[in-house]
Amino acid sequence: MTVPTILIVDDDELSVRMLEAQLGEAGFAPVAAFSGAEALDIMEERQIDLVISDLVMHEMDGLELIEQIGKRHKGIPVVVVTANGSVESAVEAMRRGAYDYLEKPINPAILRITTQHALDYHHIVRENEQIKGLLGEPFTFQSIVTVNPSMKEMLRLAAKVAAVRQTTIAIYGESGSGKEVLARAIHFAGKGLPTNFVAVNCAAIPEHLLESELFGHVRGAFTGADRDREGKFSLARGGTLLLDEIGDMPLPLQAKLLRVLQERVFEKIGSNTPLPADCRVIVATNRNLAEWVSAGRFREDLYHRINVFPLTIPPLRDRKDDIPLLCEHVLDHLRQHLGKALPGISPKAMEAMLDYHWPGNVRELRNCLERAAILTDGELIRPAHLGINSAGSTDAANGGNVGDSVTYTLTVPGETLSLDTLTKRILAITLERCNGNKSKASQMLKIGRKAFYRP
């Protein structure tokens, strides 16, 4: 493996030598330049993977050097070094294209982490650009950025199965981890021209309508069926059908789905005419289906039929090495979407994000950054902008309180209830009032269904 070459630019020799020593100990190959002009000459002569430059230099300062590198060597990341307390200059540098900044005195651990994150991010960007050029179309996995070994292995497997259209794929992962994003990537990575991608959330459609939603119906099949209707299997013909939250599919419908997957044909409700199920089927769930099989909530034969090629997306808390990379990826999107300057994330804010548990996974991180991006006004994102706390929830998530739409009166003489105990009682009472219907109970309380499955 090639050792990354880091170009250090500073007109102070002592600072250069200190950085050389620190980068060398961290396993990088440092190269020294004592002016901006010398740095540009070196970059013309040899391969440089990253530039670390001081901002205050004679003749050509760090800001001008950033602009010159952007013009002559597009894609090479620049990390700037600024004096303690001079955050404004670092913000200006990031506006002009710097990847990140370091404050003096430089902490060796922060130097190593910042350097590696900058290299990882821009390595992925370069790879994606190369693949775009080879394919002549957007890289299908470009929205899934990672440096995590488990994620990389999962994506490698996903890329392999993407070429086999008839294989059923099962994607496992917590809510917000990116199951539909992965499913779409697999779809568009398949051979041939992109075709229909159709997604169905099995948990969001009432049981009596889900069969019609999947298979369609003919006129007069049931009360209210005043015309023929195409189902999702028909709409996905030649493409991909994603059955999201497959674990919430009613048992009677599971038997019909099993027949479709085995025989590759289906019938509309009210019709005896078999139609081809000519689409790739991907299922996704946040459930442990093996446990649901044991509990009698999911058919064992269907479980084995859909579990042909399982892919598991690890939760964000288990791949926190991806957080800096994901942040930069999301911020880059928000810069275009919001049309405003977003210099980056302050070290303390990044520390808070790395310490946070992220129960909502990548979706929560994306929402958190969008909120922060709206609140900022050209400055670095600070902890206060994020709205996260050490208790494992975001302030935004706390906006909808349990019981907003239901009033409860609990009289428990002589008993002091903890918040956890009170919450469990509210959940139990609501579930009882809804006759055990978790979807209805979750809608009444304005919370996710998963709250009813917690011990």
Side-chain angles (χ1 to χ4, degrees), residues 186-254:
I186 292 170
H187 167 72
F188 287 106
K191 293 181 179 179
L193 295 174
T195 48
N196 293 342
F197 178 91
V198 180
V200 182
N201 188 328
C202 299
I205 302 172
E207 181 176 340
H208 65 284
L209 295 178
L210 184 55
E211 183 177 359
S212 175
E213 189 75 15
L214 291 178
F215 307 125
H217 62 254
V218 297
R219 182 180 179 182
F222 50 83
T223 303
D226 56 353
R227 68 192 68 183
D228 288 1
R229 186 175 189 272
E230 296 295 314
K232 301 302 186 185
F233 270 95
S234 295
L235 297 176
R237 187 169 299 151
T240 300
L241 175 63
L242 170 64
L243 300 177
D244 200 7
E245 304 300 347
I246 187 72
D248 292 299
M249 179 177 284
L251 283 168
L253 193 53
Q254 291 179 25

Side-chain angles (χ1 to χ4, degrees), residues 395-410:
D395 292 342
N398 293 333
N401 295 322
V402 173
D404 277 352
S405 56
V406 183
T407 301
Y408 295 95
T409 302
L410 293 178

Side-chain angles (χ1 to χ4, degrees), residues 95 340-343 372-380 382 385:
R95 282 178 177 160
K340 64 186 296 187
L342 298 171
I374 293 171
L375 291 175
T376 57
D377 188 19
E379 76 268 33
L380 292 173
R382 303 190 308 274
H385 296 133

Side-chain angles (χ1 to χ4, degrees), residues 203-407:
I205 302 172
E207 181 176 340
H208 65 284
L209 295 178
L210 184 55
E211 183 177 359
S212 175
E213 189 75 15
L214 291 178
F215 307 125
H217 62 254
V218 297
R219 182 180 179 182
F222 50 83
T223 303
D226 56 353
R227 68 192 68 183
D228 288 1
R229 186 175 189 272
E230 296 295 314
K232 301 302 186 185
F233 270 95
S234 295
L235 297 176
R237 187 169 299 151
T240 300
L241 175 63
L242 170 64
L243 300 177
D244 200 7
E245 304 300 347
I246 187 72
D248 292 299
M249 179 177 284
L251 283 168
L253 193 53
Q254 291 179 25
K256 296 182 179 181
L257 176 62
L258 175 63
R259 176 176 175 269
V260 173
L261 295 178
Q262 288 177 336
E263 301 180 13
R264 306 303 298 183
V265 295
F266 67 96
E267 296 170 356
K268 291 184 177 181
I269 300 175
S271 171
N272 295 320
T273 304
L275 299 171
D278 181 25
C279 62
R280 182 208 302 272
V281 176
I282 300 178
V283 304
T285 182
N286 59 8
R287 312 287 188 203
N288 185 325
L289 291 185
E291 292 183 356
W292 278 52
V293 168
S294 300
R297 295 180 176 180
F298 201 83
R299 291 180 63 102
E300 184 175 6
D301 47 7
L302 179 59
Y303 169 69
H304 292 301
R305 184 62 188 81
I306 65 176
N307 209 45
V308 178
F309 202 98
L311 297 169
T312 301
I313 303 176
L316 188 55
R317 62 181 173 274
D318 290 345
R319 53 183 183 104
K320 289 191 174 181
D321 48 345
D322 274 345
I323 288 178
L325 189 63
L326 286 167
C327 287
E328 182 56 34
H329 182 74
V330 173
L331 287 179
D332 192 47
H333 170 76
L334 290 172
R335 289 181 187 108
Q336 301 175 43
H337 178 66
L338 299 177
K340 64 186 296 187
L342 298 171
I345 301 173
S346 71
K348 287 188 177 179
M350 180 58 70
E351 182 181 349
M353 297 183 83
L354 291 171
D355 287 342
Y356 184 59
H357 190 61
W358 297 110
N361 290 290
V362 179
R363 183 189 296 128
E364 184 184 6
L365 181 141
R366 187 184 298 113
N367 293 343
C368 179
L369 286 176
E370 183 172 355
R371 173 185 187 272
I374 293 171
L375 291 175
T376 57
D377 188 19
E379 76 268 33
L380 292 173
I381 291 173
R382 303 190 308 274
H385 296 133
L386 297 173
I388 60 178
N389 57 59
S390 59
S393 62
T394 59
D395 292 342
N398 293 333
N401 295 322
V402 173
D404 277 352
S405 56
V406 183
T407 301

Side-chain angles (χ1 to χ4, degrees), residues 161 163-169 264 277-281 305:
V161 76
V164 188
R165 199 167 68 89
Q166 293 301 319
T167 298
T168 304
I169 302 168
R264 306 303 298 183
D278 181 25
C279 62
R280 182 208 302 272
V281 176
R305 184 62 188 81

Side-chain angles (χ1 to χ4, degrees), residues 87-107:
V87 177
E88 293 80 9
S89 57
V91 170
E92 179 59 24
M94 294 175 75
R95 282 178 177 160
R96 299 198 189 189
Y99 174 80
D100 207 344
Y101 75 96
L102 296 164
E103 284 189 90
K104 294 180 179 178
I106 297 174
N107 183 305

